[in-house]
């Protein structure tokens, strides 16, 4: 009974943001690679590439390159990381077919922790960003709550097929505090300790608009 209550609470927290979805969403595609390299004495390197399209492919919305140096406070958990990101955005001008390119350089600090509740694997990420967007400077806080649920229960403990879901909220430090919210659900497969793939759907909504994406993600540990 206790486990059922926990699962119900987590489901409510992840589904709640759907009440703010816009009816005018467009479908796009994000191709995402996330990799990590373990170093000595708890240190690790994070690297990430995201290729985001307005359509299925070929209409660039955003290219994101991110890297960082992290340190595990405990074995394989409670990670502190400092990083840098470069983001190229191709934004449409109003209702026209014209685009404008926006360059952003980003410095960020984050803390990630993991926990296990029954069969659920939970992860929390707290990230603070300093954003240099062309000639403007902005700061933003992000909170990420993710869960991973195995769909198999093999005797040898090898359960490669799983469900994945997360919700992430973005908050600005200036007057318009709410920036955006992302809600994701997907199906994943763990090929080995070093490689897993996910296919999922994500909705991103702002104060007055929303957008949908199909996500293809690869997670690689070197």
């Amino acid at each position: 009974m206790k486990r059922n209550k926990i699962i119900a609470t987590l489901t409510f927290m992840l589904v709640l943001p759907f009440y703010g979805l816009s009816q005018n969403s467009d479908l796009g595609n994000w191709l995402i690679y996330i990799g990590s390299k373990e170093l000595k004495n708890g240190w690790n390197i994070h690297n990430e590439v995201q290729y985001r399209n307005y359509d299925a492919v070929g209409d660039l919305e955003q290219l994101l390159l991110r890297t960082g140096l992290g340190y595990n406070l405990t074995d394989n958990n409670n990670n502190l990381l400092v990083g840098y990101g470069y983001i190229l955005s191709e934004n449409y001008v109003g209702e026209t077919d014209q685009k404008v390119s926006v360059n952003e350089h980003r410095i960020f600090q984050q803390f990630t922790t993991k926990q296990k509740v029954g069969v659920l694997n939970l992860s929390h990420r707290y990230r603070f960003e300093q954003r240099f967007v062309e000639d403007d400077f902005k700061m933003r806080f992000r909170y990420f709550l993710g869960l991973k649920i195995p769909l198999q229960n093999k005797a040898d403990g090898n359960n490669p097929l799983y469900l994945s879901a997360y919700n992430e909220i973005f908050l600005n430090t200036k007057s318009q505090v709410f920036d955006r919210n992302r809600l994701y659900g997907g199906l994943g497969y763990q090929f080995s300790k070093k490689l897993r793939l996910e296919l999922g759907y994500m909705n991103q909504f702002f104060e007055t608009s929303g957008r949908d994406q199909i996500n293809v993600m690869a997670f690689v540990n070197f």
Side-chain angles (χ1 to χ4, degrees):
M1 181 63 69
K2 184 177 180 180
R3 179 181 298 178
N4 291 338
K5 288 182 179 179
I6 293 172
I7 293 174
T9 301
L10 291 170
T11 302
F12 176 77
M13 293 174 67
L14 288 165
V15 172
L16 180 61
F18 266 126
Y19 290 106
L21 296 185
S22 166
Q23 298 299 317
N24 298 318
S25 298
D26 298 313
L27 184 64
N29 178 38
W30 289 15
L31 303 176
I32 303 171
Y33 157 80
I34 298 175
S36 62
K37 169 67 175 178
E38 294 295 328
L39 304 175
K40 294 182 179 180
N41 301 320
W43 294 94
N44 47 79
I45 295 176
H46 172 87
N47 48 84
E48 184 175 340
V49 179
Q50 297 192 25
Y51 183 75
R52 304 172 177 178
N53 292 274
Y54 287 104
D55 297 322
V57 69
D59 188 6
L60 178 65
E61 177 185 4
Q62 196 172 71
L63 174 65
L64 185 150
L65 307 174
R66 190 154 42 207
T67 188
L69 178 65
Y71 179 75
N72 288 330
L73 300 177
T74 57
D75 289 342
N76 301 314
N77 197 8
N78 296 321
N79 181 267
L80 290 172
L81 185 141
V82 176
Y84 163 80
Y86 168 74
I87 299 92
L88 170 64
S89 300
E90 296 285 340
N91 301 330
Y92 279 104
V93 180
E95 300 298 325
T96 70
D97 292 331
Q98 296 182 339
K99 281 185 172 182
V100 59
S101 297
V102 178
N103 292 279
E104 177 181 347
H105 299 274
R106 185 181 300 174
I107 300 171
F108 66 95
Q109 305 82 37
Q110 71 179 36
F111 172 68
T112 305
T113 184
K114 303 174 184 177
Q115 60 187 132
K116 189 173 180 64
V117 181
V119 298
L120 299 179
N121 295 286
L122 299 177
S123 60
H124 306 265
R125 185 180 68 208
Y126 308 85
R127 178 181 290 172
F128 185 55
E129 298 175 328
Q130 299 83 53
R131 306 171 61 205
F132 300 85
V133 186
E134 296 293 343
D135 296 327
D136 196 10
F137 175 71
K138 305 177 181 180
M139 292 191 292
R140 186 169 64 184
F141 174 76
R142 300 165 57 168
Y143 170 65
F144 171 100
L145 169 63
L147 63 86
K148 181 179 174 184
I149 308 171
L151 295 179
Q152 297 167 293
N153 189 19
K154 296 183 179 181
D156 60 0
N158 183 25
N159 306 309
L161 193 63
Y162 64 91
L163 288 176
S164 176
Y166 74 75
N167 191 77
E168 184 173 21
I169 188 169
F170 297 63
L171 301 174
N172 295 313
T173 60
K174 294 186 177 180
S175 56
Q176 187 177 341
V177 176
F178 177 77
D179 184 68
R180 69 191 67 189
N181 193 92
R182 291 176 181 168
L183 182 65
Y184 167 86
L187 181 66
Y189 193 88
Q190 186 90 40
F191 289 90
S192 67
K193 291 183 178 180
K194 295 185 177 182
L195 174 65
R196 61 185 173 97
L197 296 177
E198 284 186 19
L199 173 64
Y201 160 85
M202 186 186 76
N203 179 273
Q204 179 171 217
F205 69 87
F206 305 86
E207 187 174 2
T208 59
S209 64
R211 180 166 178 79
D212 304 309
Q213 283 83 225
I214 298 297
N215 285 8
V216 179
M217 293 186 282
F219 299 86
V220 180
N221 295 316
F222 294 99

